[in-house]
Amino acid sequence: MKNRLLFLGPPGAGKGTQASQICNDLDLMHLSTGELLRAEVEAKTSLGQEVSLIMNKGELVSDDIVLSIVQNRLVNGEREGWLLDGFPRNLVQAKSLQKLLDELSQKIQAVILIEISDEILIQRLLSRGRPDDNEEAIRKRLIVYKEKTAPLIDFYSDAGILNAIDGEGQVIDVALRIREVLN
Ligand code: B4P
């Protein structure tokens, strides 16, 4: 079973939903940059105060902040396997991750691209209702995804590790599609 994984996809594709379940089942370290940033906001740390406005506008937090969060956990992680959820979000982050993984002699074994239509993801996010799930922020997050994150599809496809799966339908059906790729 592949156990060094990266989840890619637009906001609301279900990356977090699927990642939590897989990390439980396979005992992987779940590294969600969105969750880690939200924890900082909740704890009202100075970093949290700095990023909350950016997140609520649907924009990306600075690469330096996100990279230091990820680096810390990958270097000190106790588990063999990990799942990167929502990171990298642009080519600068992807290249920095590549460099870090080379230094750690670790390799991404599979990138899972969760595909979903704009219509369905907007419905899902509006019914979730997080502070960054208002229409304006969602629209912005979609634009940011298409401009900055979608180029990673070619990046990982060229590396021969990209697997696209259909993210629509029941949570369990999407989970089964992902498991097929990991076997
Ligand atoms: P993230 O936390 O990564 O959140 P997301 O992309 O909005 O959601 P995800 O795809 O995980 O969807 P989920 O499973 O929750 O990012 C939030 C913000 O953090 C970014 O906008 C940015 O500001 C910042 N950030 C994060 N990483 C960054 C980075 N690397 N660099 C810079 N900034 C960064 O699912 C969504 C909803 O759909 C849920 O309510 C869920 O219950 C529902 N759902 C899931 N699967 C479903 C299904 N099959 N059917 C019906 N509903 C489903």
Side-chain angles (χ1 to χ4, degrees):
M1 185 80 76
K2 298 186 176 86
N3 69 352
R4 287 184 186 145
L5 314 174
L6 196 158
F7 275 14
L8 200 63
K15 301 182 294 291
T17 304
Q18 297 295 333
S20 302
Q21 201 170 322
I22 287 187
C23 289
N24 260 336
D25 294 351
L26 305 184
D27 192 29
L28 307 180
M29 172 166 67
H30 181 187
L31 232 166
S32 158
T33 42
E35 254 174 48
L36 293 166
L37 291 167
R38 279 188 292 280
E40 296 284 339
V41 173
E42 202 134 299
K44 296 193 168 64
T45 62
S46 55
L47 174 62
Q49 281 164 0
E50 190 184 330
V51 299
S52 84
L53 211 68
I54 301 170
M55 293 174 76
N56 289 347
K57 280 198 279 182
E59 286 166 7
L60 292 182
V61 170
S62 88
D63 294 335
D64 288 347
I65 291 177
V66 178
L67 283 167
S68 74
I69 291 180
V70 173
Q71 179 158 1
N72 236 325
R73 284 171 173 79
L74 278 180
V75 171
N76 300 312
E78 284 160 21
R79 301 208 185 112
E80 254 299 284
W82 37 254
L83 192 163
L84 298 173
D85 160 15
F87 172 88
R89 269 309 215 266
N90 60 30
L91 275 170
V92 170
Q93 293 182 10
K95 287 177 182 163
S96 303
L97 172 66
Q98 199 50 57
K99 189 162 164 275
L100 173 64
L101 292 178
D102 286 346
E103 282 162 19
L104 296 172
S105 303
Q106 297 188 4
K107 255 190 179 18
I108 301 167
Q109 292 169 328
V111 175
I112 313 283
L113 169 66
I114 305 184
E115 294 181 311
I116 175 176
S117 68
D118 289 0
E119 203 185 13
I120 291 189
L121 71 83
I122 290 167
Q123 275 171 23
R124 283 187 191 175
L125 293 176
L126 284 177
S127 60
R128 178 172 65 182
R130 228 167 49 190
D132 58 340
D133 286 339
N134 58 76
E135 248 188 276
E136 201 181 325
I138 294 171
R139 208 164 300 125
K140 178 69 189 169
R141 280 152 71 196
L142 258 173
I143 293 171
V144 169
Y145 174 76
K146 286 174 185 164
E147 277 178 4
K148 305 213 165 130
T149 312
L152 300 184
I153 297 171
D154 281 346
F155 182 80
Y156 289 117
S157 173
D158 290 348
I161 50 175
L162 187 86
N163 303 270
I165 64 114
D166 177 4
E168 296 185 8
Q170 303 284 316
V171 172
I172 179 74
D173 295 326
V174 179
L176 288 171
R177 291 175 203 138
I178 295 175
R179 286 302 279 260
E180 267 175 40
V181 172
L182 304 186
N183 283 326

